[in-house]
Amino acid sequence: MTWADRYLGAAVIGLMLLLFPAPSYAQSLEVSAARVGIRSPDTLRLVLESNSALKPTISYLSTPDRIVIDLPRLDFSFGPGITDGKRFIETYRYGAFSPKVSRLVIDLSKPARVTRSFTLKPSGKTVVYRTVFDISIVPRARFTEEVARTKGQLIDPQSRRVEPVLSAAARNGEKPVIVIDAGHGGNDPGTIGINGRAEKEIVLAVALKLRASLQRTGQFTPVLTRDHDIYVGLKRRVEIARANEADLMLSLHADSIGDKNFRGGTIYTLSEKASDSVAANLAARENKSDILVGMDLEQENAFVRDILITLAQRETKNFSVKFANILISEMGQQRLIPRRPHRYAGFVVLKAPDVPSVLVEMGYMSNAQDAMRLASKQGQDAVVRDLTDAVTEYFAQLQLN
Ligand SMILES: [Zn+2]
């Protein structure tokens, strides 16, 4: 089924809903459980349980090898992503991928494909629908064929504009536009903290508070790259900043790090050469975000290659560094890492050539104190205050020049 077919299908369903409104007890579509079992040495069976029939679209991606299962937008209600490491399925993860699509991504350690897929309706004591996927190891050449065959059906989120973030109305005369970029989202949870809280949820909470705080000053027009739990590609985040002619982009994160004692805020600006190994590892991991959610990376890589460090970009970098320094002085010692709170690395999300951009690691979810601080109202409010003060100070200084 092509995307157009599906779109038409959705339109027909929409029309039917208008003519035949759903009874008030109608439930939203929900997947309540997922299981992986062993069928044979070469075949695993994935079963999804849902309250209604699912119509999956199965696609394949390589480097790394993944199976992508696209479903209509639904709720996954079975807790965080499951890692069972059984045989050739390394992990799988799921979440909202776009306004109309939910996605489950299976990471493979060997090339494999769905050889059989069917749905069992509720019967007897079973009250749920079960969608079954038998996944078997296949030769590399066969897997490559599947990747090529299904390329067209992978929905490219970049091609469909998410409305609220790009509205021209957001651009409001003289007020500087501040793009607030909550990292991760949808089927990319970011890191999971020592307290079980997902990075995507913490950064979104802070982003929403920061928007309200900047609005209250009356001096800025804040724009979010996402305002709910949805995946947004890295390239798309940069595009949103550029399309809004942003005067500043703040990308918010709260990652994990091997050293559990490492805590405090860190401010990153762009550099092709990382300032240290912590910065390099973090950027490498962040830049993989698109792999996690099942994006085709060919286009993304071309985009990254195309970005040259031009004179304009150097100028932009100077402003980024200026803002970083102001933010560091606003945050003060107790909310920053003890040494070198300003670091450099090649984060894709910082690569808009004409938008000063910083990436703020608000703290480290691998540290017990930071994880608690960032999950608390007080801790989030403190970060929002620091950021609001730094933005105000930065633009006040620019006006003096
Ligand atoms: Zn992150």
Side-chain angles (χ1 to χ4, degrees), residues 184 199 253 255 286:
H184 311 279
E199 179 184 2
H253 286 263
D255 281 279
E286 284 301 334

Side-chain angles (χ1 to χ4, degrees), residues 208-264:
L208 293 170
K209 285 182 179 206
L210 180 58
R211 173 171 67 181
S213 171
L214 290 175
Q215 262 158 357
R216 275 196 302 273
T217 67
Q219 299 178 50
F220 307 106
T221 302
V223 174
L224 297 187
T225 55
R226 67 179 182 97
D227 61 4
H228 59 289
D229 182 18
I230 193 167
Y231 163 78
V232 181
L234 297 175
K235 177 185 169 190
R236 178 89 191 106
R237 294 168 191 261
V238 175
E239 281 175 356
I240 290 167
R242 299 195 69 195
N244 283 280
E245 295 170 51
D247 298 284
L248 184 65
M249 180 171 185
L250 307 172
S251 192
L252 305 177
H253 286 263
D255 281 279
S256 287
I257 199 165
D259 180 355
K260 295 219 176 332
N261 296 317
F262 205 83
R263 57 179 283 242

